[in-house]
Amino acid sequence: PTISMQGATSGLLLWYQRVVPVLLPTMILSGILVKTNLILYPMQYLRKITGPLLHISECGSYSIITGLLCGYPMGAKTCADFLRKKQMSREEAEYLLPLVNHPSPMFLSGFVLSLSLPGINKAAFVIALYLPVLIFMCVLRPKKQPPVSGMTPNIQFQASMIDDSIFSSVQ
């Protein structure tokens, strides 16, 4: 029990001191970008790569970027936000979840490999973690690419968007 309590305390302190201060502002900003559809501008260009390769939409491209850069739960939250707004199909969200619901490479290299598993080959570890998912994504990708979304940015920014993004991120 003593070792378990020390481990739980260390995990909670790590989450409170390291994860929340970095991830919470990112989640709030991402929520605002999703609510205003401003993510469409950069995602139109990214989709030119991810669309033909993985057969995903602009929203799917954004979910992949947030999932890979921020790790879980950010990728899954982004998929859920798009699904709730009906900007992503349920099939696409289910297809993307295995890829966007992994720990971020920064977390893996900065914490897991440096502090928890210092003697392990980092490249082999990352390949073993991500390669099966990438194979899965290529084998099970949808037959055809979804159409261009046709969404337009919502230039009318409202204060409630910030409140909604904060509440959703904290939740």
Side-chain angles (χ1 to χ4, degrees):
T2 304
I3 294 172
S4 296
M5 285 300 286
Q6 289 173 345
T9 302
S10 296
L12 287 172
L13 283 174
L14 172 70
W15 172 80
Y16 175 73
Q17 293 172 342
R18 303 277 190 250
V19 176
V20 170
V22 172
L23 197 54
L24 185 61
T26 304
M27 290 174 82
I28 293 169
L29 180 61
S30 177
I32 292 169
L33 290 174
V34 168
K35 287 181 187 326
T36 59
N37 291 338
L38 289 174
I39 55 110
L40 293 177
Y41 291 125
M43 291 307 110
Q44 290 171 348
Y45 298 105
L46 181 63
R47 186 177 187 216
K48 291 178 181 177
I49 299 168
T50 59
L53 182 65
L54 299 174
H55 292 180
I56 57 175
S57 65
E58 294 94 343
C59 296
S61 298
Y62 183 71
S63 296
I64 285 181
I65 292 297
T66 58
L68 289 177
L69 293 179
C70 301
Y72 57 80
M74 190 68 192
K77 181 192 179 312
T78 305
C79 278
D81 288 346
F82 287 128
L83 188 60
R84 208 172 0 269
K85 288 179 66 176
K86 299 190 183 337
Q87 294 176 332
M88 180 185 288
S89 70
R90 183 171 186 82
E91 293 77 21
E92 184 176 11
E94 289 174 353
Y95 168 68
L96 289 173
L97 277 177
L99 181 62
V100 302
N101 228 10
H102 269 272
S104 71
M106 284 73 68
F107 175 75
L108 288 175
S109 63
F111 177 73
V112 174
L113 294 176
S114 297
L115 299 176
S116 300
L117 303 168
I120 197 164
N121 181 333
K122 293 177 183 175
F125 182 81
V126 171
I127 289 171
L129 184 66
Y130 286 105
L131 185 61
V133 175
L134 293 174
I135 292 170
F136 166 81
M137 297 294 292
C138 291
V139 169
L140 296 178
R141 78 180 184 169
K143 300 288 183 243
K144 61 180 184 171
Q145 192 171 339
V148 175
S149 69
M151 294 183 294
T152 57
N154 179 8
I155 305 302
Q156 296 176 349
F157 184 79
Q158 301 165 356
S160 64
M161 292 177 176
I162 296 175
D163 292 342
D164 292 344
S165 294
I166 291 171
F167 180 74
S168 174
S169 298
V170 169
Q171 187 180 20

